[in-house]
Amino acid sequence: MKILILGAGKMGSFFCDALSFDHELAIYDIDPKRMRFTYNTRRFTSLEEVKDFQPELVINAATVKYTLPAFNQVLPYLTDSCIVSDIASVKTGLKEFYETCGHPYVSTHPMFGPTFASLSDLSKENAIIISEGDHLGKIFFKDLYQRLHLNIYEYTFQEHDETVAYSLSIPFVSTFVFSAVMKHMDAPGTTFKRHEKIARGVLNEDDYLLQEILFNPNTSAQVENIRKELDELQDIIDKKDPVRMKAYLTKIRKNVL
């Protein structure tokens, strides 16, 4: 299959590596320097080259802020039968775009990133395939993700947004709170250093991505749950209540052990 990847960032390069030996691959990025390490892949610096290439599938790996602009730039250079796809972690506006773009589409979300995941072993990582979309496009990504040994789930756009609000906003907000109160320590403990490592990874993400995850309409309720738990824990600590402390630890252990 002739595949065009938009964006030569971390995930765009990852998909190049994963696909370049089994498909005729091309990659386009507005910054030519970002494409210098791509292998067995044609490098495009002009959208006219995209028109001549005539891809059968476009994988939009641009950052969340530029996902829709990247689509709008490339659409005039695609054939009507070309399947368009995204791997965005935030799907805001994408369902509406796909419904009017005039192309078959498929939307997925690899639930991992180069910051924390071991890209050589993804057997413990997950990927979501959006159920609304082109059948052949979904089959393509299902086969790819199975080959990468990912655990695959199929959700609607709405179910995806609800899942992201839970699985990303909770750890992100918790990390923000930790980062807001942390201070430099000459001899931090092991637990502190682990949290600090996570914080550095999260805060290394694109600001717009963090914003859009937190601005997800489903996030506010999750943040409210965190606030309620903090209020309860604060009350237990203030009153130095061992019985309630024991009950609280028993409750939260059931969630993780």
Side-chain angles (χ1 to χ4, degrees), residues 97-145:
F97 166 80
Y98 283 134
E99 289 174 347
T100 60
C101 73
H103 286 265
Y105 72 89
V106 58
S107 183
T108 77
H109 179 187
M111 297 284 287
F112 61 90
T115 301
F116 295 118
S118 171
L119 300 184
S120 61
D121 180 14
L122 297 173
S123 59
K124 295 181 180 180
E125 305 296 339
N126 304 315
I128 293 174
I129 298 176
I130 302 300
S131 57
E132 300 108 315
D134 179 76
H135 177 70
L136 292 179
K138 290 190 291 184
I139 291 297
F140 172 85
F141 278 99
K142 184 176 182 180
D143 289 345
L144 172 61
Y145 292 156

Side-chain angles (χ1 to χ4, degrees), residues 199-229:
R200 292 184 188 278
V202 170
L203 294 174
N204 194 45
E205 296 285 358
D206 178 74
D207 285 0
Y208 187 83
L209 170 64
L210 298 175
Q211 170 187 295
E212 290 304 291
I213 288 172
L214 294 184
F215 288 178
N216 181 323
N218 300 283
T219 295
S220 181
Q222 302 298 336
V223 176
E224 177 64 16
N225 288 337
I226 294 174
R227 189 192 64 77
K228 289 179 180 178
E229 292 297 324

Side-chain angles (χ1 to χ4, degrees), residues 235-237 239-250:
D235 189 59
I236 294 172
I237 293 170
K239 294 178 179 176
K240 296 181 173 56
D241 188 329
V243 175
R244 287 178 64 199
M245 188 76 254
K246 175 66 175 178
Y248 190 82
L249 292 173
T250 299

